[in-house]
C-alpha cells in the first residue's frame, strides 16, 4: 500500500491518503513534544515503539468489543487505519489524581479516584486544550448529548479493559487520553493512538514512571528506556518487530 497525499501533519504523526479512499496511512514519527509543542526532541525509534504498542492495545480493545480505526501495521512505525473525521475532543480518564488535576483542584496527588473521572478537553493547542463541559461542547457544535454519552461510555470501557491488561503486565494505568472520530457511516470509532505519549503508566511495584511524563519533567535520557520497558512487557516475543 502506497502513501499518496499528506493530509495532516500533527506533532508526532503524519497522515496520508492511500489508493483506498476509506483508509489512511498513519506514520508515527520519532518526534517527542511537550508544552503544546513548545519543546521538541527526536528520540530514536520512538515512532515504531508507539505504533507497535498502540496497535497491540487497539487489537486488545477490539477483542473486547471496542471498535477502533486499526487495520494493519505493515511496518513498525506505519499503521493502516480506517479514515475518520476526528472529533476535536481529548477524552481523559483518571484513576489516580495527579498532573493537571492536582494543579487545578484541591485533590491530593496520588488519591485513588473511584469512580474514575472522565474529563473532556477541547483539542486545540492555540487555546491550550481548555476543559469542556456538555453545554460548551454543544455550543461549539462539536458533539450532541447522545454523542457525549457514547464517548463517555467508550472511554470507561477502554479504561476497564486496559486497566486489567496493563495490571497483568505489572503496570498501573494512572490516567490516559483518547480521541475518537466518525467513519464514513457515522459510527464513532476509537482513533489516534494509545501509547506512553498519552497515558500515565506506573510500575506496579516501584511506582516508577513509564511514560512521557519523564520527558515533560526533563528526564530526556530516561524516556526511551521507559517506552521500551512497556513494549517488552506487553508485546509477546513472537510479536516483537523492533
Ligand atoms: P493532565 O491533564 O494531567 O496533564 O493529563 C492527563 C492525561 O491525559 C495524561 O495521561 C496525559 O498524558 C494525557 N493528555 C492530556 N492532554 C494531552 C495531550 O494534549 N497530548 C497527549 N499526548 N496526552 C495528553
Amino acid at each position: 500500500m502506497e502513501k499518496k497525499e499528506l493530509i495532516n501533519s500533527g506533532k508526532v504523526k503524519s497522515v496520508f491518503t492511500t489508493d483506498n479512499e476509506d483508509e489512511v496511512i498513519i506514520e508515527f514519527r520519532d518526534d517527542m513534544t511537550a508544552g503544546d509543542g513548545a519543546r521538541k526532541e527526536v528520540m530514536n525509534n520512538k515512532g515504531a515503539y508507539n505504533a507497535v504498542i498502540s496497535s497491540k492495545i487497539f487489537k486488545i480493545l477490539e477483542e473486547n468489543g471496542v471498535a477502533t480505526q486499526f487495520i494493519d501495521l505493515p511496518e513498525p512505525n506505519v499503521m493502516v487505519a480506517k479514515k475518520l473525521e476526528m472529533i476535536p475532543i481529548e477524552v481523559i480518564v483518571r484513576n489516580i489524581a495527579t498532573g493537571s488535576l492536582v494543579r487545578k483542584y484541591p485533590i491530593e496527588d496520588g488519591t485513588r479516584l473511584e469512580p474514575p473521572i472522565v474529563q473532556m478537553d477541547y483539542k486545540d493547542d492555540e487555546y491550550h486544550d481548555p476543559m469542556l463541559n456538555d453545554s460548551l461542547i454543544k455550543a461549539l457544535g462539536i458533539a450532541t448529548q447522545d454523542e457525549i454519552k457514547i464517548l463517555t461510555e467508550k472511554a470507561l470501557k477502554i479504561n476497564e479493559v486496559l486497566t486489567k491488561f496493563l495490571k497483568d503486565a505489572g503496570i498501573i494505568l494512572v490516567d490516559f487520553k483518547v480521541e475518537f472520530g466518525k467513519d464514513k457511516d457515522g459510527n464513532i470509532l476509537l482513533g489516534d493512538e494509545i501509547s506512553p505519549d498519552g497515558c500515565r503508566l506506573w510500575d506496579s511495584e516501584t511506582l516508577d514512571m513509564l511514560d512521557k511524563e519523564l520527558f515533560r519533567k526533563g528526564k530526556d535520557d530516561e524516556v526511551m528506556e521507559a517506552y521500551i520497558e512497556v513494549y517488552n512487557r506487553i508485546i509477546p516475543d513472537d510479536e516483537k518487530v523492533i
Side-chain angles (χ1 to χ4, degrees), residues 90 92 94 99-100 129 175-177 197-200 216:
E90 297 187 341
I92 293 167
R94 299 178 188 273
S100 71
D129 300 346
D175 57 25
F176 63 96
K177 179 265 302 178
D197 265 18
C199 301
R200 286 199 179 91
R216 295 190 191 105

Side-chain angles (χ1 to χ4, degrees), residues 87 89 120 132-154 182 188:
I87 300 167
I89 297 180
M120 299 196 185
L132 295 164
N133 63 25
D134 290 14
S135 327
L136 278 162
I137 292 173
K138 278 176 266 171
L140 291 166
I142 301 172
T144 65
Q145 193 62 46
D146 283 349
E147 289 169 342
I148 295 170
K149 186 163 175 270
I150 292 170
L151 297 181
T152 305
E153 286 169 359
K154 283 184 184 284
K182 289 183 192 165
I188 295 181

Side-chain angles (χ1 to χ4, degrees), residues 2-241:
E2 276 193 19
K3 292 189 282 192
K4 289 178 84 180
E5 192 190 334
L6 176 69
I7 46 174
N8 182 33
S9 185
K11 291 196 289 289
V12 298
K13 296 191 291 297
S14 303
V15 183
F16 299 87
T17 55
T18 73
D19 299 333
N20 184 332
E21 64 176 29
D22 298 330
E23 296 180 2
V24 288
I25 288 181
I26 305 174
E27 192 176 274
F28 287 63
R29 306 194 312 268
D30 288 344
D31 300 324
M32 186 170 280
T33 70
D36 296 330
R39 193 159 79 85
K40 181 175 144 179
E41 300 292 341
V42 175
M43 299 281 171
N44 191 30
N45 262 347
K46 182 246 182 188
Y49 283 108
N50 268 4
V52 178
I53 290 170
S54 199
S55 300
K56 177 71 183 175
I57 288 176
F58 277 20
K59 279 188 242 173
I60 298 288
L61 290 169
E62 289 273 358
E63 284 165 22
N64 285 276
V66 180
T68 78
Q69 74 173 153
F70 177 79
I71 296 175
D72 191 19
L73 190 75
E75 292 171 45
N77 69 327
V78 176
M79 188 187 283
V80 180
K82 287 178 193 151
K83 187 173 185 173
L84 301 182
E85 191 180 323
M86 295 305 291
I87 300 167
I89 297 180
E90 297 187 341
V91 186
I92 293 167
V93 181
R94 299 178 188 273
N95 296 305
I96 295 176
T98 192
S100 71
L101 187 73
V102 300
R103 286 199 299 274
K104 293 181 186 169
Y105 301 92
I107 302 179
E108 200 179 331
D109 208 319
T111 306
R112 183 156 279 283
L113 302 163
E114 278 167 355
I117 292 176
V118 180
Q119 172 190 333
M120 299 196 185
D121 289 358
Y122 182 46
K123 185 181 165 71
D124 192 327
D125 284 344
E126 197 184 325
Y127 292 90
H128 306 292
D129 300 346
M131 199 190 298
L132 295 164
N133 63 25
D134 290 14
S135 327
L136 278 162
I137 292 173
K138 278 176 266 171
L140 291 166
I142 301 172
T144 65
Q145 193 62 46
D146 283 349
E147 289 169 342
I148 295 170
K149 186 163 175 270
I150 292 170
L151 297 181
T152 305
E153 286 169 359
K154 283 184 184 284
L156 286 171
K157 175 73 182 178
I158 292 166
N159 187 43
E160 193 187 302
V161 174
L162 276 193
T163 295
K164 164 139 199 352
F165 173 68
L166 292 168
K167 187 176 177 211
D168 293 345
I171 296 170
I172 300 170
L173 180 59
V174 175
D175 57 25
F176 63 96
K177 179 265 302 178
V178 278
E179 296 178 30
F180 296 88
K182 289 183 192 165
D183 69 8
K184 65 178 191 324
D185 301 318
N187 301 308
I188 295 181
L189 307 186
L190 173 65
D192 194 54
E193 67 182 295
I194 299 186
S195 72
D197 265 18
C199 301
R200 286 199 179 91
L201 306 170
W202 293 351
D203 181 281
S204 303
E205 287 191 357
T206 62
L207 303 184
D208 284 348
M209 292 176 197
L210 299 171
D211 61 77
K212 198 173 94 170
E213 195 68 13
L214 290 163
F215 181 74
R216 295 190 191 105
K217 288 183 182 298
K219 297 183 177 176
D220 297 20
D221 51 340
E222 294 175 35
V223 71
M224 278 320 298
E225 215 175 294
Y227 281 43
I228 294 168
E229 181 66 25
V230 173
Y231 172 86
N232 282 330
R233 289 196 201 183
I234 71 170
I235 309 296
D237 284 344
D238 60 351
E239 292 177 26
K240 287 199 166 85
V241 289

